Amino acid sequence: MYTLPELEPNFDLRHRARSILQDNWWPCISITLIYLIVQFVLNRIPIIGSPISFIISGPLNLGFAIFYLNFIRSEDPDYNDFFAGFQDFGRALAAIILLAVFILAWAVLLVIPGIIAAYRYSMTFYILSDNPDISAIDALRLSSDMMEGAKLKLFQLHLSFIGWALLTALTAGVGQVLLIPYVMTSQAYFYENLKAAYEADVYPVLE
């Protein structure tokens, strides 16, 4: 029987994120702007815009994972990391399709199961980033194992950004350029903490 490890408090994850972002806001804001602009433009193209947006969301999400993991590990943000997801287009596309299918399948039952499924598979792109030889479906399975018992903690981390989300709403979405880097950096630290616990073979994988 595994014992739940004492994962790093969310307050500390956010503090670490603010500390590393202090001198690195601009690179993180820049890639956020690129992401938002690309999605904005594509979603306004009739008929083909939305499908294209969905297709490239896989590589873009993988690029986000690569960028932020390398950022917190080296403390040196590299713009090229954000576009690295397109070099692994096949796995990234497979992952986003599988995520959409699995989450939608649970959401068809009720909203809450869909949300739980989203958190269950939330580490997928980080796992793909760290494991170039793993398949998309295996990345989802590993995410499910790693997140067993940790879904609520990640939800609470996201909930702690409610003030920033309100600020974003009050600024007609402009605040996203600050909120997204803050959330992504904090979440990257969450993954690092979770991964270390899981690899130490003390993280519970409940049957």
Side-chain angles (χ1 to χ4, degrees):
M1 184 71 179
Y2 292 100
T3 302
L4 181 69
E6 191 66 36
L7 299 178
E8 191 171 354
N10 287 337
F11 177 85
D12 292 343
L13 297 178
R14 291 181 59 181
H15 175 73
R16 292 173 67 187
R18 290 194 303 272
S19 296
I20 196 173
L21 283 167
Q22 187 173 358
D23 297 319
N24 295 286
W25 275 108
W26 179 242
C28 297
I29 289 174
S30 298
I31 67 165
T32 299
L33 282 171
I34 293 171
Y35 175 81
L36 292 175
I37 290 171
V38 168
Q39 295 288 18
F40 178 84
V41 171
L42 286 176
N43 285 318
R44 276 152 184 77
I45 299 175
I47 303 176
I48 64 170
S50 293
I52 294 175
S53 176
F54 175 77
I55 289 170
I56 70 168
S57 66
L60 288 176
N61 276 284
L62 179 56
F64 261 129
I66 295 170
F67 176 88
Y68 280 100
L69 285 181
N70 288 341
F71 172 41
I72 66 170
R73 290 167 178 172
S74 68
E75 300 188 10
D76 183 22
D78 185 345
Y79 290 98
N80 292 324
D81 288 337
F82 178 59
F83 300 100
F86 287 93
Q87 299 173 15
D88 199 357
F89 191 91
R91 287 198 312 158
L93 177 59
I96 202 68
I97 292 174
L98 289 170
L99 283 168
V101 170
F102 288 174
I103 293 171
L104 181 61
W106 282 104
V108 166
L109 300 176
L110 283 172
V111 173
I112 291 179
I115 294 173
I116 293 173
Y119 277 90
R120 179 182 299 124
Y121 303 122
S122 58
M123 298 295 105
T124 297
F125 287 106
Y126 298 104
I127 293 168
L128 289 175
S129 174
D130 271 344
N131 301 274
D133 297 324
I134 198 172
S135 68
I137 188 64
D138 285 340
L140 267 74
R141 290 176 180 142
L142 182 52
S143 176
S144 179
D145 285 346
M146 292 176 68
M147 287 299 291
E148 189 66 50
K151 293 184 285 293
L152 179 59
K153 181 175 174 60
L154 181 58
F155 175 76
Q156 291 170 334
L157 175 62
H158 290 161
L159 195 62
S160 71
F161 292 100
I162 187 67
W164 282 69
L166 291 173
L167 177 63
T168 296
L170 291 173
T171 58
V174 175
Q176 289 185 79
V177 298
L178 295 176
L179 176 60
I180 291 175
Y182 191 10
V183 173
M184 291 298 296
T185 306
S186 300
Q187 188 167 284
Y189 278 123
F190 174 90
Y191 167 76
E192 283 285 82
N193 192 215
L194 184 66
K195 177 187 175 186
Y198 185 82
E199 290 182 345
D201 202 30
V202 295
Y203 192 78
V205 181
L206 305 179
E207 299 297 330

